Amino acid sequence: MASLANTTAGAVAGARKISNGKRIPIISSKSLSFPSFRPSISSLKPLIPTKFSSLSPLQCSPSTSPSTSPPSLKSRLRNGETLYGIFLLSFSPTLAEIVAFSGYDFVVIDMEHGPGGIHESLQMLRAVATTNTPAIIRLPESSAVWAKKALDLGPQGIMFPMIDSPKDARKAVSYCRFPPNGIRGSAHTVVRASNYGINEGYLSNYKEDLLIMCQVETVDGVKKVEEIAAVEGVDCIQMGPLDLSASLGYLWDPGHKKVREMLRTAEREVLKSDRKDGGAFLAGFAMPHDPPEALGKRGYHMVSGAVDVGLFRNAAVEDVRKFKISLNADSDYSDDDKDSDEKYWSE
């Protein structure tokens, strides 16, 4: 800075400007001061509007305000609603968006059987966030590492597979809570779950907002399902009919009488728990022999009636079948058959 001032002063001193015969006084560099600017860290203020500091990830979307934020899955369950959802195995953000616009109460992003991982789950969460559709992430295994990475993405719920005992359930809950109440690793100042640190109320609200689901899908799990449902922090018991049938030796016959009897036993044990005193809600998958309407009538609080891959598969197979049948039909195709589609295709 000093060299710059000296250079400038020299140039000015050598230039005698005259206006109307009068000399213009030259300002000496010695009369100029160049104060240094050294801001302290404490004087810096975050460039974040205060009104956004307490918003959740979904509330920060441009189309959503705190007053219009939809109720959480937990609050809807506590209010007595029966929720209908779908599993997403394709990890296609486009299919996820279609599902979200279709009106499902929730989606389950399935890392246990789908091909996607954490990065792909993030894209799925962003896809369904356009409609504020709540998302649950099912982990590939019940471990602290997978739970930590999934929870940092900010889903409304997390599902732990293969929970066979109260001990397993207590471990699952501990993976979801920060010390001293659990063992979840903390990066809450920078992860998506806290709006990348913008949501200053995250640590105060995360336990209340998160739906913890334990999946019971073996004979051992069913025998202890009442105890599992009573574990503090377990919000919902998710029944797994396919793995339960395999556990009983009827993998190819999930509708077998013994499988259905054991499933009903588990259902009764969960439904009799007092949800106002730490009991759990009941969730389940629909099957061809056990449609979603039947689950709803038996008292299930959360029903998953479809899988995105299955829906697309059925539609594709039926589309091909209809065309193949038309090739062998007796009646000839004519332009008259297009009348019903004219309005759709006309410009």
Side-chain angles (χ1 to χ4, degrees), residues 3 55 75 144 151 214 232 249 263 269 293 311 341:
S3 62
L55 301 184
S75 63
L151 290 172
C214 289
E232 191 276 327
L263 188 63
E269 293 297 327
E293 297 82 7
L311 286 178
D341 291 333

Side-chain angles (χ1 to χ4, degrees), residues 88-340:
L88 302 177
L89 268 71
S90 69
F91 280 84
S92 163
T94 298
L95 289 183
E97 270 193 315
I98 293 172
V99 163
F101 283 118
S102 297
Y104 286 95
D105 295 312
F106 65 91
V107 301
V108 179
I109 300 170
D110 191 0
M111 287 201 300
E112 183 183 14
H113 292 294
I118 292 296
H119 178 73
E120 292 79 10
S121 295
L122 174 59
Q123 309 313 314
M124 299 291 279
L125 286 169
R126 287 172 172 163
V128 300
T130 57
T131 60
N132 291 324
T133 301
I136 298 163
I137 293 181
R138 179 159 76 161
L139 303 181
E141 65 178 10
S142 296
S143 71
V145 172
W146 277 112
K148 173 176 60 179
K149 294 180 75 66
L151 290 172
D152 282 350
L153 298 182
Q156 266 203 40
I158 185 168
M159 186 184 298
F160 292 91
M162 293 291 178
I163 300 298
D164 291 335
S165 69
K167 181 180 179 181
D168 291 343
R170 284 190 289 270
K171 283 184 178 180
V173 173
S174 74
Y175 301 156
C176 300
R177 294 182 174 174
F178 297 115
N181 301 314
I183 62 172
R184 177 183 172 186
S186 176
H188 63 276
T189 57
V190 292
V191 296
R192 184 178 186 269
S194 64
N195 293 3
Y196 305 99
I198 296 174
N199 180 0
E200 295 177 352
Y202 176 71
L203 291 181
S204 301
N205 302 323
Y206 81 95
K207 287 196 298 183
E208 178 61 25
D209 294 338
L210 180 67
L211 184 75
I212 299 177
M213 306 178 71
C214 289
Q215 195 163 351
V216 173
E217 44 193 342
T218 65
V219 173
D220 290 339
V222 170
K223 290 179 179 178
K224 299 179 180 179
V225 68
E226 183 179 7
E227 299 173 62
I228 295 172
V231 170
E232 191 276 327
V234 173
D235 299 303
C236 193
I237 298 296
Q238 171 82 40
M239 299 307 303
L242 277 179
D243 281 308
L244 180 59
S245 66
S247 179
L248 285 164
Y250 299 103
L251 176 60
W252 301 108
D253 188 11
H256 192 277
K257 180 180 179 181
K258 290 185 178 180
V259 179
R260 287 187 282 113
E261 288 176 350
M262 181 151 287
L263 188 63
R264 299 297 185 275
T265 298
E267 293 169 357
R268 287 192 294 270
E269 293 297 327
V270 177
L271 289 173
K272 76 179 185 181
S273 65
D274 186 359
R275 284 171 295 281
K276 295 181 180 179
D277 189 30
F281 295 97
L282 179 64
F285 302 99
M287 300 287 289
H289 65 276
D290 199 10
E293 297 82 7
L295 270 62
K297 290 180 179 178
R298 294 206 303 274
Y300 277 77
H301 306 102
M302 300 179 73
V303 177
S304 297
V307 179
D308 61 346
V309 173
L311 286 178
F312 186 81
R313 175 204 62 206
N314 293 344
V317 170
E318 178 62 14
D319 183 55
V320 173
R321 187 190 69 83
K322 287 173 64 177
F323 180 76
K324 296 296 185 181
I325 290 176
S326 72
L327 296 179
N328 299 322
D330 294 333
S331 59
D332 294 330
Y333 177 79
S334 67
D335 289 341
D336 294 338
D337 295 323
K338 296 189 295 183
D339 290 344
S340 61

